[in-house]
Amino acid sequence: GYRNGGQADFLQLLVIDSTEKKITRIQIDRDTMTPITILGVLGNQSGVRMSQICLSHGFGNGKEQSCELTVDAVSNLLLGAPVDEYIALNLDGISALNDAVGGITVTLEDDFSALDASMTPGTTLTLMGEQAEIFVRSRRNIGVGTNEARMVRQQQYMAQLSAQIDGKIQDEKNFIGMIYDELEPYLITSLSRGTLINQAWTSRDYERTLTELTGTYQVGTDGFMQFYVDETSLQQLVLELFYQEVK
């Protein structure tokens, strides 16, 4: 079908500036409200509606088409700024990625013991296998249970993951290809293997910064959380990242 592509649990945009040698990571809350394209049951476009950005991936075939609809939604959110490529990793790939870098060590602030008995508050452990998915994906009955709180864990995990990947790439360029081959069964991407490897190698020493979109949360009439981005700060961010001042 064309209406069961699955929601997007985690969304992040990488803006790579090869002139300034800088990568800006924009973490996008899955509950962010933005115009998304709606498909009918036969795959025809049936309009655009303001909705949570995670739902954009739910339309389409769950593969390339869903990714392209998500790209459109992110571009809509960023005031029409172009998004050139996409990489989607399905949930089964989380453990594969985690284990390929030797696991990620974290100190748990929340109680995950209902899902894994070893994951109790205050414990420092190296996540392996399904523990990685539990840590980055679990939300209901974990801490305050909001996606905002889960994003904090995701940032913690991604920072450590990036550091470990960077370290391995510095030692061996072939590690990029190894990671790609390990994840290929779980990937949908518009990038070729060679392009992705070359981009990762070229930008291995770039400065990295993380940016969060500011805004307000509210519960919609349907009972689901909605996040509304502050338009003034969003416009300023788009101008800084996607445009050059004409002097």
Side-chain angles (χ1 to χ4, degrees):
Y2 292 91
R3 303 187 69 165
N4 55 3
Q7 297 179 19
D9 255 28
F10 174 86
L11 287 161
Q12 188 169 98
L13 181 69
L14 301 184
V15 182
I16 304 173
D17 187 335
S18 57
T19 301
E20 298 294 331
K21 298 188 182 304
K22 179 179 179 180
I23 297 177
T24 302
R25 297 190 291 124
I26 305 174
Q27 188 162 357
I28 301 172
D29 192 311
R30 71 192 300 270
D31 294 325
T32 303
M33 301 298 288
T34 197
I36 70 169
T37 300
I38 306 302
L39 300 186
V41 293
L42 299 179
N44 56 302
Q45 288 196 16
S46 59
V48 174
R49 77 172 181 220
M50 181 69 73
S51 189
Q52 288 92 340
I53 197 168
C54 64
L55 300 180
S56 58
H57 191 277
F59 295 95
N61 58 4
K63 297 183 180 181
E64 290 84 359
Q65 188 179 28
S66 292
C67 289
E68 290 161 5
L69 291 172
T70 302
V71 165
D72 290 343
V74 173
S75 181
N76 290 341
L77 173 66
L78 298 177
L79 310 178
V83 177
D84 300 309
E85 310 287 354
Y86 62 80
I87 302 174
L89 178 72
N90 71 32
L91 295 174
D92 292 333
I94 297 173
S95 298
L97 173 59
N98 179 84
D99 293 358
V101 300
I104 300 298
T105 300
V106 297
T107 298
L108 303 178
E109 296 184 8
D110 297 313
D111 187 1
F112 300 88
S113 60
L115 302 171
D116 185 305
S118 66
M119 298 179 69
T120 55
T123 301
T124 298
L125 80 163
T126 299
L127 302 172
M128 296 300 297
E130 293 183 1
Q131 291 177 333
E133 182 178 338
I134 290 172
F135 182 77
V136 301
R137 189 184 176 205
S138 301
R139 178 171 55 125
R140 292 182 175 85
N141 302 319
I142 303 296
V144 296
T146 64
N147 185 57
E148 184 180 13
R150 177 172 60 176
M151 287 172 63
V152 174
R153 294 201 311 272
Q154 292 170 342
Q155 290 173 9
Q156 177 189 358
Y157 183 89
M158 289 291 290
Q160 183 62 31
L161 175 68
S162 297
Q164 288 183 212
I165 290 177
D166 287 344
K168 291 180 180 294
I169 289 175
Q170 294 288 353
D171 295 333
E172 185 179 5
K173 181 180 181 180
N174 291 337
F175 181 76
I176 308 170
M178 188 209 79
I179 281 284
Y180 182 92
D181 295 339
E182 191 79 24
L183 297 180
E184 189 173 21
Y186 313 103
L187 287 178
I188 301 293
T189 178
S190 59
L191 288 163
S192 69
R193 182 181 187 275
T195 299
L196 193 149
I197 290 173
N198 289 337
Q199 181 65 77
W201 177 253
T202 300
S203 59
R204 67 192 184 281
D205 294 322
Y206 286 10
E207 176 190 354
R208 316 289 177 86
T209 59
L210 176 66
T211 297
E212 294 182 74
L213 301 177
T214 59
T216 57
Y217 289 92
Q218 69 178 49
V219 178
T221 56
D222 57 3
F224 290 100
M225 187 64 71
Q226 299 175 348
F227 177 69
Y228 289 87
V229 174
D230 179 77
E231 292 294 333
T232 301
S233 61
L234 174 65
Q235 185 178 60
Q236 184 60 39
L237 180 66
V238 169
L239 288 173
E240 290 175 359
L241 293 180
F242 295 96
Y243 293 90
Q244 289 183 325
E245 184 178 359
V246 177
K247 299 181 180 179

